[in-house]
Amino acid sequence: MEMTGLQPTKANRKKFDIDLAYGKVREQEVADMLQDKKIEVKSERGVWYNSGNIAIEYESYGKPSGIAATESDYWFHNLCLGDTTFATLVFKTEVLKSIIDQLDNIRSVNGGDGYKSKMYLLNLEKLFSTDVIKALKNGF
């Protein structure tokens, strides 16, 4: 009798092995992000919830900052609601830069202390749209 539940059956064992190997590679990638790479962590407060946008700083006081100046390998972007982190978006920094460069409609706003910083507003729906994903898949 074949096992059911959490154990794969004989019929689906091959797919399970492939999926398991793929998953283990991705688990190691996450471990590497936190142990062997430079990361940048930004946190959005409740504005993202109302606007549907995240802000990615690229200039402050006339000098490159944020995404334009980071030396990080990964960009972590927390979406917060009060003191709770709702979700964290994680991008390879080079991929996020490519996405920003390729978006067809990107909005820039001033913000921060004295409105001396410039930020891209990225619409979350657009960021994860099939157009952006297809462009990424095709190597931009």
Side-chain angles (χ1 to χ4, degrees):
M1 179 177 251
E2 292 187 42
M3 295 182 71
T4 58
L6 297 178
Q7 293 294 322
T9 64
K10 190 174 185 180
N12 68 13
R13 179 72 190 180
K14 186 173 182 177
K15 183 176 180 332
F16 176 82
D17 290 343
I18 293 168
D19 290 345
L20 179 62
Y22 185 85
K24 287 195 175 292
V25 168
R26 298 312 172 275
E27 288 173 4
Q28 187 59 51
E29 284 180 354
V30 171
D32 289 346
M33 282 181 213
L34 301 174
Q35 295 175 9
D36 301 324
K37 303 288 188 249
K38 295 178 189 173
I39 64 171
E40 181 105 15
V41 179
K42 300 296 180 185
S43 296
E44 289 280 334
R45 298 189 187 176
V47 175
W48 70 271
Y49 175 77
N50 294 317
S51 70
N53 298 315
I54 60 172
I56 308 284
E57 184 178 304
Y58 65 91
E59 183 180 299
S60 187
Y61 292 90
K63 295 181 182 176
S65 64
I67 195 73
T70 189
E71 295 179 4
S72 70
D73 298 300
Y74 291 91
W75 184 278
F76 285 64
H77 208 96
N78 294 319
L79 302 179
C80 301
L81 293 168
D83 292 334
T84 302
T85 301
F86 170 74
T88 301
L89 307 175
V90 181
F91 300 92
K92 284 187 175 181
T93 303
E94 66 187 49
V95 170
L96 181 57
K97 287 179 179 182
S98 294
I99 290 169
I100 290 169
D101 288 344
Q102 296 298 317
L103 286 175
D104 57 359
N105 185 13
I106 193 161
R107 187 171 162 209
S108 179
V109 298
N110 291 342
D113 295 335
Y115 293 93
K116 300 294 184 184
S117 296
K118 293 184 180 180
M119 299 166 233
Y120 298 120
L121 288 185
L122 302 183
N123 182 273
L124 288 166
E125 285 184 27
K126 179 68 174 177
L127 186 61
F128 293 99
S129 71
T130 54
D131 292 341
V132 171
I133 293 168
K134 284 178 187 175
L136 177 62
K137 185 177 177 183
N138 293 328
F140 281 99

